[in-house]
């Protein structure tokens, strides 16, 4: 069982090149993350490749037991992990945040361990016999973003190790310690060489990881531009990819809703992790007949959700994780204000403050083509667009190059499902948004990426399918 101090000491750089890790709520230094070089990466991949045959030779049941023991280790150090995550990422301990994320790691790990993937008999008609096996690929390279640095790491690690692969994982630069700490705790239970961490800049270490010939598969969650670079880098070795890229999820509210009843779901759909979530609700289309009531109900709810330092118990929203993201949100809200859109709440950040706090912001009566609508804000500023014609709202929802998630809000489930069938997105939630589940496959449409994570589909994605015939 780790304390915050022992965990930090275990993952802080002792020598060599380092990267300063800053608390985004206070601007204070948390610690120094290691910055590795490409030679170290190459050695590490060799180590992962050397460990892979023995890991794959274990029975499925033995690997599953190791995964449960790794989940037990996370549970034992959950408070220390949550504190480090809160300090480094900014998300509060409470609410759907740091403790929730660490709990999610345990849940995803155990579900990936317990999801059955039996050999499939494809044909057995007396003359032909063919069955489909899911073999390990080898070494999986995992590259994570800074918004959910532990949970997304588990999304990549858990199916990979279950299927007999070993893993080399590279966390994002501004949240390296969280990724390194999670792996350190899991490694208290896993055999040597199965889960390996490397830390350094994406353009150097990430790129070299993708290009290494011993990496059979890359699991990537991050931006669409970086995803495109990874596609190019993967071409040389025909490396398999699962890409979970950016989104700009639309929600469509039908005229039959009860505005007060949906306000809480809309709020957390949009503002979970202070809006820094791939599949968060990022543009809300509301029918004219309920528009004012929905905006008012959402504002009433939003006004009462406290934002502040994540270590303080009452807070449910934190700062933006880094300055770059603060500036993106600030620019987009300013563009909305300049266009004449109505600021219902927020929109008035303290730009000189030490922390990267951007206040909870609701922008109404906004042009559907405004930058805050068509670009991904990835922060706590929701544009709310008025519509009268549902077909037009669906067309606007589908008008962007991305399509990760979407949602439809209605008391008529049949009608909501019909609308969902017309939306171009990997997931359409009804009366909720962003409710991922380890049993249910998740992935993007269009430039939000390809490949699916979670559930049986997620296990297949980190396997080499092999037909045995005859
Ligand atoms: P952001 O712009 O929000 O930082 P990115 O998509 O660039 O998002 O980052 C997600 C992850 O991808 C991080 O771990 C980052 O270090 C890594 N990364 C960045 N550039 C590359 C690259 N060219 N190849 C591989 N990984 C990269």
């Amino acid at each position: 069982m780790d304390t915050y101090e022992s965990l930090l000491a275990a993952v802080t750089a002792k020598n060599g090149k380092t990267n300063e890790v800053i608390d985004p709520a206070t601007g204070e230094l948390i610690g120094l993350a290691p910055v590795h070089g490409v030679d170290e990466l190459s050695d590490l991949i060799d180590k992962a490749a050397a460990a892979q045959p023995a890991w794959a030779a274990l029975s499925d049941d033995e690997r599953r037991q190791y995964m449960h023991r790794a989940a037990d280790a996370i549970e034992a150090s959950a408070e220390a992990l949550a504190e480090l995550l809160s300090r480094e990422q900014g998300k509060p301990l409470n609410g759907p945040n740091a403790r929730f994320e660490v709990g999610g790691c345990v849940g995803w790990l155990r579900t990936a361990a317990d999801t059955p993937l039996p050999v499939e008999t494809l044909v057995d008609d007396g003359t032909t016999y063919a069955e489909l096996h899911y073999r390990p690929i080898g070494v999986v390279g995992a590259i994570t973003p800074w918004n959910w640095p532990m949970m997304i790491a588990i999304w990549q690690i858990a199916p990979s190790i279950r299927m007999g692969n070993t893993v080399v994982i590279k966390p994002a630069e501004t949240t390296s310690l969280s990724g390194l700490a999670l792996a350190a705790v899991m490694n208290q239970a896993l055999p040597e060489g199965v889960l390996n961490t490397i830390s350094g800049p994406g353009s150097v270490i990430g790129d070299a990881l993708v290009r290494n010939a011993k990496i059979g598969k890359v699991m990537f969650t991050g931006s669409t531009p970086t995803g495109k670079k990874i596609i190019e880098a993967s071409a040389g070795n025909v490396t398999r990819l699962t890409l979970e890229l950016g989104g700009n999820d639309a929600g469509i509210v039908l005229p039959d809703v009860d505005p007060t009843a949906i306000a809480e779901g809309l709020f957390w759909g949009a503002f979970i992790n202070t809006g820094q979530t791939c599949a968060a609700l990022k543009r809300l289309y509301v029918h004219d007949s309920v528009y004012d009531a929905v905006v008012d109900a959402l504002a009433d709810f939003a006004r009462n959700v406290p934002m502040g330092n994540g270590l303080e118990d009452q807070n449910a929203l934190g700062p933006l994780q880094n300055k770059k993201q603060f500036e993106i949100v600030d620019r987009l809200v300013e563009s909305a204000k300049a266009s004449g859109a109505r600021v219902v709440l927020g929109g008035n950040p303290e730009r000189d403050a030490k922390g990267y706090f951007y206040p909870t912001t609701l922008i109404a009566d906004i042009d559907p083509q405004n930058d805050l609508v068509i670009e991904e804000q990835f922060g706590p500023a929701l544009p709310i667009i008025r519509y009268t014609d549902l077909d037009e709202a669906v067309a606007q929802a589908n008008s962007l190059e991305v399509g990760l998630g979407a949602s439809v809000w209605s008391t008529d489930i049949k009608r909501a499902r019909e609308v969902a069938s017309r939306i171009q997105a990997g997931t359409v939630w009804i009366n909720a948004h962003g409710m991922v589940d380890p049993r249910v496959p998740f992935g993007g449409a269009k430039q939000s990426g390809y490949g699916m994570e979670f559930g049986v589909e997620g296990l297949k994605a980190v396997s080499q399918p092999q037909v045995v015939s005859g």
Side-chain angles (χ1 to χ4, degrees):
M1 188 187 124
D2 278 290
T3 61
Y4 169 74
E5 288 74 19
S6 70
L7 207 50
L8 186 63
V11 296
T12 304
K14 318 283 177 300
N15 46 43
K17 274 183 79 180
T18 58
N19 179 30
E20 289 192 346
V21 177
I22 303 298
D23 180 338
T26 62
E28 285 164 16
L29 182 72
I30 297 173
L32 299 173
V35 176
H36 296 120
V38 287
D39 290 347
E40 285 165 285
L41 172 67
S42 171
D43 292 348
L44 196 71
I45 295 173
D46 288 348
K47 186 179 149 201
Q52 194 268 332
W55 178 244
L58 296 179
S59 69
D60 187 41
D61 206 40
E62 285 168 313
R63 281 196 300 274
R64 294 180 50 234
Q65 284 173 26
Y66 271 115
M67 290 171 72
H68 281 294
R69 288 201 287 273
D72 295 342
I74 296 173
E75 276 180 333
S77 292
E79 268 306 291
L81 286 165
E83 185 176 342
L84 180 60
L85 178 60
S86 178
R87 283 180 193 263
E88 183 181 56
Q89 205 284 334
K91 62 182 66 189
L93 286 171
N94 290 326
N97 294 301
R99 289 185 173 119
F100 167 84
E101 180 167 350
V102 174
C105 292
V106 173
W108 253 268
L109 197 48
R110 294 200 193 283
T111 304
D114 293 343
T115 301
L117 179 52
V119 175
E120 293 169 31
T121 302
L122 302 171
V123 184
D124 184 9
D125 63 4
T127 48
T128 300
Y129 182 80
E131 56 186 27
L132 184 57
H133 294 253
Y134 291 92
R135 311 289 193 200
I137 295 178
V139 185
V140 172
I143 301 176
T144 55
W146 48 257
N147 58 340
W148 292 86
M150 292 190 184
M151 184 111 99
I152 292 176
I154 285 288
W155 292 356
Q156 301 178 344
I157 296 165
S160 299
I161 61 177
R162 165 72 195 285
M163 298 311 296
N165 306 287
T166 54
V167 174
V168 175
I169 186 158
K170 191 204 88 61
E173 290 89 317
T174 55
T175 54
S176 304
L177 298 178
S178 296
L180 299 180
L182 179 74
V185 168
M186 291 175 72
N187 276 332
Q188 294 166 3
L190 295 175
E192 172 81 21
V194 171
L195 174 57
N196 309 277
T197 52
I198 189 91
S199 166
S203 56
V204 180
I205 294 294
D207 183 67
L209 180 65
V210 179
R211 289 178 193 276
N212 188 295
K214 289 188 180 164
I215 296 290
K217 163 95 194 186
V218 170
M219 301 284 289
F220 173 73
T221 298
S223 65
T224 299
T226 300
K228 289 180 182 178
K229 286 186 193 159
I230 288 177
I231 293 169
E232 285 179 14
S234 73
N237 298 312
V238 195
T239 308
R240 275 78 179 131
L241 300 176
T242 293
L243 301 173
E244 201 259 86
L245 308 179
N248 192 348
D249 290 10
I252 300 181
V253 177
L254 302 189
D256 63 15
V257 296
D258 171 352
T260 318
I262 63 169
E264 182 172 359
L266 285 175
F267 179 82
W268 286 115
F271 289 89
I272 184 166
N273 199 27
T274 317
Q276 304 163 106
T277 299
C278 309
L281 172 53
K282 292 180 180 134
R283 34 188 188 124
L284 183 62
Y285 298 85
V286 182
H287 190 267
D288 181 51
S289 62
V290 284
Y291 187 88
D292 293 330
V294 168
V295 170
D296 288 349
L298 194 48
D300 285 345
F301 190 89
R303 208 171 271 126
N304 293 314
V305 182
M307 179 185 284
N309 189 312
L311 298 181
E312 290 165 15
D313 270 345
Q314 75 280 8
N315 292 326
L317 297 168
L320 288 164
Q321 204 279 320
N322 53 72
K323 188 149 188 277
K324 183 177 144 201
Q325 201 54 44
F326 180 95
E327 285 168 355
I328 291 172
V329 176
D330 194 16
R331 171 177 63 81
L332 291 174
V333 173
E334 289 307 308
S335 111
K337 281 156 72 176
S339 75
R342 177 162 60 96
V343 180
V344 178
L345 192 68
N348 54 341
E350 267 188 60
R351 296 187 180 86
D352 299 330
K354 285 222 165 61
Y356 305 133
F357 288 100
Y358 196 96
T360 303
T361 298
L362 296 174
I363 303 285
D365 294 317
I366 184 166
D367 184 304
Q369 295 307 317
N370 187 273
D371 287 349
L372 179 61
V373 180
I374 61 174
E375 286 184 38
E376 185 182 24
Q377 71 279 51
F378 216 69
L382 181 67
I384 310 169
I385 305 108
R386 195 188 287 268
Y387 78 85
T388 46
D389 175 6
L390 179 60
D391 291 342
E392 183 55 30
V394 170
Q396 284 175 9
N398 290 339
S399 67
L400 303 183
E401 288 169 342
V402 285
L404 188 56
S407 56
V408 180
W409 302 74
S410 171
T411 45
D412 180 347
I413 296 295
K414 220 172 131 222
R415 176 106 180 90
R417 287 188 179 147
E418 185 279 319
V419 176
S421 72
R422 293 194 271 148
I423 298 180
Q424 297 163 354
T427 304
V428 184
W429 289 279
I430 292 170
N431 295 324
H433 199 111
M435 303 295 277
V436 289
D437 181 315
R439 300 162 301 178
V440 180
F442 174 69
K446 302 195 280 187
Q447 292 193 24
S448 289
Y450 48 72
M452 297 206 98
E453 301 183 87
F454 317 161
V456 180
E457 295 304 319
L459 296 181
K460 290 180 180 177
V462 285
S463 310
Q464 173 59 54
Q466 182 187 55
V467 173
V468 177
S469 185

